Amino acid sequence: MTRTPFHDGWTAGFKLGPFESPAEGRGPVPVVLPHDALRDLPRSVDEVQGVHSGYTPGGAFEYARELDVPESWREKTVRLEFDGVYRDAVVFLNGEVVTHEANGYAGFTAELDPYLRFGETNRLTVEARAHRDSRWYSGAGIYRPVHLVVADPVHIPTYGVVVTTPDVDDERAVIEVAVTVRNAARHTRETRVRWEIVAPDGETVASGTSPVTVLPGTDAVARARLTVAAPARWHPDHPHLYAARTTVTDAAGAVLDGESTTFGIRTLQVDPVRGLRINGLPVTLRGACVHHDNGVLGAATHDDAEDRRVRLLKEAGFNALRSAHNPMSRAMLDACDRHGVLVMDELADAWTRAKVPFDATITFPERWERDIRSLVEKDRNHPSVIMYSIGNEILELGTPIGSTWSRRLAEAVRAADPTRFVTNGINGIIANLPRMAEAREQVEDANTMMANMGDQMGLMNASPLVSASIEESAAVLDVVGFNYADSRYRQDAVDHPNRVIVGSETFPARIDVMWGLVEELPHVIGDFTWTGWDYLGEAGIGRVDYTDEPGYADTGTAGPFPYRLAESGDLDITGYRRTISYYREIVYGLRTDPYIAVHRPQHHGRPTATTPWSWTDTVSTWSWDAAPGAPVTVDVYADADEVELLLDGESLGSAPVGAEKAFVARFETAFRPGELVAVARRDGRVTGRHVLRTAGTPRLQAHAERAEVAVGGLAFVTIILADDDGIAVADRDVPVEVAVSGPGVLAGLGSGRARTEESFGASAYATYDGRLLAVVRVDGPGEVVVNASAEGYDEVRTSVVGV
Ligand code: GAL
């Protein structure tokens, strides 16, 4: 079997249809997959998808490619493996329809055999469309990888190898391998399957073999139980990975097919007394909800971008990700396995009641079994995956019929994979929208309820009406996921003593309270913040507004045009850690040093408006274009008794901090360039410090994250305005022009600025707080040079080597 990336040689263009007029239609242009057809379309205030897509339009698109089909393929079977096409993909070969996949996030295969023309150039086309079908920026087109598989008629089908580790202790682990052998030939075939288990150090540590006779036109499942001595267990702290190498040979020993499957050896337990345990050791989930897009790349899912996101999220203190609200990419699952990050993978955002006009509810009632199969087949060999979530804030969840859907979906997931837990992101308010007036009456203090949305949700979520309505849907789960319902945690332990809870979605600024509950209550196994990494669409949901700004209007949670990003992520879309990320690290107990976050002095004293998903408009810098003496507010985050703030050695005062003070000490002071130091003390002893220095003369700098990049991979180049010590300046933002030469292209350029009309597809973009990210696709071996230039600064260059 050969399985090769199928990313070159495509064109993409608008498919003329109800969403486009010929006048607007753009001719097909050459593209390299993965590709997002929406990213570079003109955004507009009038766009009907509005805040959901960040004012980006939708459309119907057609991808096309020629495929040379040699005569020798008459003896083969040929398929395309798509990891995801958004959305309603229809694949054609030579004008004949091959397959249709409605789900924009599900992997699927297109079996080409019936339509191949041998000895000729064949034409492949893939249609995709996206329009008013998502609550967030979806992207469109063939946005995830595609592979061409040419196999013997006797072969292992896609996801045909399943590895489980049902019995593990320190002495040995039993590895159960089940392999499907498909016989697409006309005669019964006698084959032999061989397995080898390869340890993390490359040694073969177990092997087995079995003869397998396969009738024509059928599948046969071959199984073996192999024993590995002294297994190196997979755990977030030491993610050891094994490989199961499977080979299928014919009776004479000639190889027909083979596959290497990465897996981990670990055990998984959960109960309300001991919480979650991996290999018998307690683990609390420091979780982040993440969307599928890749920032400046749009929705395009490149392996290197997914790997980088997982790596940076882990470095920021998270040990778990929730794929909100759709199945995670294969690339991200692989990265989670490698980096030791636990995964809650999610089926859908809606089942039968729509949230936006043309969403997946159109097809879900008929296609849910296929959706579940595709989710579980993709996930089940990944040690990182510990939970499947069957939904998010499902509207019908609180009704008796909604409960039958909950049960049906949970049982189908269990039947497909009995080794993980089933959860669901339940929002009792959303599940009871029509009945909320009644619930309000059951809440004692209506004024408190109205005071702010967070408390309001909490009180209503804990109301008897909500408790009763969600009881059946919650009872079908192994772990009950609650969105914004920490108000239930304590009482549920009394009312439902068998219930294990995870905070499947919580307000970012409340992590101090959330984490206290996770640490205190054994039946609450973790917390997933909204969100870990900022995303496109749901524009402005986490912004901070200055309400005295000319033209300001209260638009609630919706950011007005030209907001593009949610502005709700510990890390911004470029992977830069915002101040809340350090706050969280301190709350988690992972950082002993304090952290200084400075409110922008130019906005000092201005009235602000925030949403429950906002943090503060702060930057960790002491480089400001502010007059000496200008008033400035400084927050210091610390888990200590007190912090002292000093400017050039002179004390500005001390303030109590730590859990009692929500881990923040606030200082009002006056700006003066120099060295600002925060010193944390516990019991009078210094426990840590954080230093900010005013930057000297800044110059434009470009830093590639890695010196070498595999051909086909991505180079990430950070462009900053910083002084010779690397201290970035946040007091000016300049447009930077980026040029790439050598065997590479600029794949995306952008900053963390949420409100902008700039384009990620352009060669110029303004820095935000002194920073910019350029992503370069390396197309061949050799040196790829990245030049950055900005008016008033010396041009700078960096390079990576394609290998
Ligand atoms: C939640 C929802 C998320 C996102 C979030 C913030 O209720 O589950 O998908 O919309 O609100 O806007």
Side-chain angles (χ1 to χ4, degrees):
M1 180 256 260
T2 60
R3 183 176 186 274
T4 43
F6 199 60
H7 298 152
D8 296 330
W10 291 85
T11 61
F14 276 109
K15 173 95 188 151
L16 296 185
F19 312 127
E20 291 303 322
S21 71
E24 289 171 70
R26 292 158 189 219
V29 292
V31 296
V32 174
L33 305 182
H35 174 257
D36 177 2
L38 297 187
R39 187 195 67 169
D40 299 338
L41 297 186
R43 300 164 58 230
S44 125
V45 65
D46 300 322
E47 168 50 42
V48 63
Q49 304 190 113
V51 68
H52 293 310
S53 68
Y55 307 92
T56 307
F61 305 94
E62 184 176 87
Y63 290 74
R65 191 196 195 277
E66 295 192 334
L67 175 66
D68 286 326
V69 177
E71 285 289 347
S72 61
W73 284 8
R74 282 187 197 276
E75 309 308 321
K76 300 287 182 187
T77 174
V78 181
R79 67 183 188 264
L80 287 172
E81 291 178 355
F82 290 88
D83 283 6
V85 178
Y86 201 90
R87 171 180 190 270
D88 254 314
V90 189
V91 180
F92 298 85
L93 185 62
N94 301 318
E96 309 294 349
V97 66
V98 179
T99 192
H100 165 224
E101 177 54 66
N103 189 320
Y105 301 99
F108 63 98
T109 59
E111 310 280 350
L112 302 185
D113 295 342
Y115 315 100
L116 290 171
R117 291 182 190 155
F118 301 100
E120 289 179 33
T121 298
N122 289 221
R123 184 172 167 80
L124 195 62
T125 52
V126 179
E127 289 178 1
R129 59 277 285 161
H131 182 65
R132 301 191 73 188
D133 56 9
S134 180
R135 293 191 302 112
W136 54 85
Y137 176 87
S138 59
I142 311 179
Y143 72 101
R144 283 180 175 170
V146 188
H147 288 84
L148 174 70
V149 180
V150 180
D152 192 273
V154 177
H155 63 276
I156 304 169
T158 308
Y159 294 124
V161 179
V162 181
V163 185
T164 50
T165 56
D167 184 359
V168 182
D169 62 30
D170 286 345
E171 260 173 64
R172 91 293 175 258
V174 175
I175 316 297
E176 190 169 313
V177 203
V179 179
T180 300
V181 181
R182 178 163 295 168
N183 181 2
R186 285 189 299 118
H187 304 288
T188 297
R189 298 288 293 269
E190 290 171 22
T191 72
R192 177 167 286 277
V193 175
R194 287 192 170 75
W195 295 279
E196 284 186 343
I197 304 296
V198 182
D201 62 6
E203 287 288 306
T204 299
V205 289
S207 59
T209 180
S210 168
V212 187
T213 305
V214 198
L215 297 171
T218 70
D219 290 351
V221 178
R223 286 179 192 275
R225 286 165 65 85
L226 308 174
T227 308
V228 167
R233 313 258 196 118
W234 189 96
H235 183 277
D237 295 342
H238 42 78
H240 300 304
L241 292 173
Y242 285 75
R245 284 198 196 135
T246 308
T247 317
V248 183
T249 56
D250 67 12
V255 174
L256 297 170
D257 205 351
E259 196 164 309
S260 179
T261 309
T262 303
F263 70 99
I265 301 173
R266 54 134 182 79
T267 62
L268 193 59
Q269 291 162 288
V270 80
D271 67 75
V273 179
R274 294 204 174 119
L276 175 72
R277 284 179 295 158
I278 293 178
N279 304 326
L281 304 170
V283 175
T284 41
L285 300 172
R286 303 189 302 269
C289 297
V290 289
H291 267 212
H292 72 302
D293 74 70
N294 263 303
V296 303
L297 300 171
T301 305
H302 292 262
D303 292 5
D304 285 350
E306 298 284 75
D307 185 85
R308 180 172 180 268
R309 277 209 286 166
V310 173
R311 176 169 56 79
L312 296 180
L313 284 160
K314 180 140 200 215
E315 282 171 16
F318 294 112
N319 68 0
L321 300 181
R322 172 189 184 215
S323 184
H325 305 290
N326 39 255
M328 189 177 264
S329 71
R330 280 211 229 199
M332 190 171 254
L333 289 171
D334 288 341
C336 288
D337 288 349
R338 280 194 298 270
H339 294 290
V341 172
L342 301 164
V343 172
M344 179 199 294
D345 206 1
E346 198 150 86
L347 181 67
D349 189 44
W351 296 342
T352 63
R353 291 196 191 167
K355 295 181 175 176
V356 286
F358 305 116
D359 67 16
T361 56
I362 296 171
T363 48
F364 189 84
E366 275 80 44
R367 296 177 75 107
W368 60 274
E369 284 172 296
R370 182 174 165 136
D371 291 348
I372 287 178
R373 199 184 323 124
S374 132
L375 168 74
V376 174
E377 284 182 343
K378 167 178 69 68
D379 285 22
R380 63 185 163 194
N381 291 327
H382 290 274
S384 55
V385 177
I386 57 167
M387 273 188 271
Y388 298 106
S389 165
I390 55 174
N392 174 62
E393 301 192 339
I394 298 299
L395 290 157
E396 61 272 37
L397 183 118
T399 68
I401 298 299
S403 305
T404 68
W405 274 104
S406 297
R407 188 179 306 283
R408 181 180 297 147
L409 300 175
E411 287 305 313
V413 170
R414 270 185 202 112
D417 181 358
T419 72
R420 267 82 175 192
F421 303 118
V422 181
T423 187
N424 190 358
I426 297 179
N427 185 325
I429 313 278
I430 307 269
N432 282 285
L433 280 181
R435 286 186 269 177
M436 269 304 117
E438 203 186 312
R440 261 184 221 127
E441 282 159 24
Q442 294 176 359
V443 171
E444 280 174 34
D445 179 359
N447 284 343
T448 317
M449 181 184 79
M450 300 304 286
N452 69 57
M453 194 183 167
D455 289 350
Q456 176 182 342
M457 285 190 95
L459 292 167
M460 286 161 66
N461 252 324
S463 65
L465 185 149
V466 166
S467 300
S469 68
I470 65 168
E471 188 184 356
E472 185 175 352
S473 280
V476 309
L477 306 172
D478 303 308
V479 175
V480 179
F482 279 130
N483 286 13
Y484 311 104
D486 49 289
S487 54
R488 300 194 60 90
Y489 292 1
R490 282 181 206 283
Q491 192 57 35
D492 272 14
V494 178
D495 297 344
H496 305 277
N498 301 317
R499 200 175 260 186
V500 177
I501 291 175
V502 64
S504 36
E505 204 173 306
T506 62
F507 294 123
R510 295 194 69 229
I511 187 59
D512 59 319
V513 178
M514 297 302 104
W515 201 246
L517 291 169
V518 171
E519 288 191 318
E520 180 194 334
L521 305 172
H523 70 293
V524 179
I525 63 171
D527 178 87
F528 287 79
T529 189
W530 191 266
T531 65
W533 190 288
D534 199 13
Y535 56 101
L536 311 184
E538 274 204 302
I541 187 97
R543 73 199 185 283
V544 175
D545 272 332
Y546 293 96
T547 56
D548 57 356
E549 190 73 18
Y552 169 79
D554 182 357
T555 52
T557 54
F561 183 81
Y563 266 103
R564 181 173 208 178
L565 313 183
E567 201 162 11
S568 151
D570 275 27
L571 282 71
D572 75 13
I573 60 158
T574 73
Y576 183 64
R577 290 178 66 182
R578 300 165 76 215
T579 52
I580 188 173
S581 171
Y582 293 90
Y583 177 75
R584 186 182 310 277
E585 205 183 350
I586 286 166
V587 172
Y588 282 157
L590 299 175
R591 177 186 167 98
T592 48
D593 282 328
Y595 190 76
I596 308 174
V598 183
H599 294 251
R600 298 174 194 271
Q602 68 267 36
H603 298 319
H604 187 266
R606 294 181 68 187
T608 57
T610 56
T611 83
W613 289 276
S614 306
W615 184 234
T616 53
D617 187 15
T618 50
V619 191
S620 190
T621 181
W622 199 238
S623 303
W624 296 106
D625 185 15
V632 57
T633 307
V634 177
D635 289 346
V636 181
Y637 314 146
D639 185 10
D641 292 343
E642 60 161 20
V643 282
E644 183 178 8
L645 196 63
L646 303 102
L647 183 55
D648 290 334
E650 179 193 323
S651 179
L652 301 176
S654 295
V657 70
E660 301 273 286
K661 298 287 172 191
F663 302 95
V664 183
R666 180 161 289 184
F667 296 85
E668 291 296 338
T669 185
F671 178 70
R672 191 181 72 219
E675 185 183 76
L676 188 69
V677 181
V679 180
R681 293 192 181 86
R682 194 181 283 289
D683 300 326
R685 288 206 344 267
V686 172
T687 52
R689 63 178 66 228
H690 187 210
V691 181
L692 295 180
R693 279 186 209 94
T694 305
T697 309
R699 53 188 179 81
L700 195 60
Q701 304 185 17
H703 304 287
E705 278 180 11
R706 283 183 294 165
E708 291 185 347
V709 173
V711 171
L714 300 177
F716 295 88
V717 178
T718 305
I719 296 165
I720 56 170
L721 291 171
D723 70 5
D724 290 341
D725 294 328
I727 302 177
V729 292
D731 59 357
R732 76 206 74 178
D733 283 312
V734 300
V736 178
E737 178 75 33
V738 176
V740 175
S741 53
V745 294
L746 184 61
L749 177 68
S751 76
R753 184 182 287 104
R755 182 180 197 155
T756 178
E757 291 193 57
E758 297 163 292
S759 167
F760 300 137
S763 61
Y765 211 101
T767 56
Y768 179 63
D769 290 338
R771 290 168 196 281
L772 203 57
L773 179 73
V775 183
V776 176
R777 199 186 63 226
V778 176
D779 287 337
E783 192 182 26
V784 181
V785 177
V786 181
N787 276 288
S789 55
E791 213 178 303
Y793 295 87
D794 288 342
E795 184 170 332
V796 57
R797 60 173 262 166
T798 186
S799 65
V800 296
V801 178
V803 291

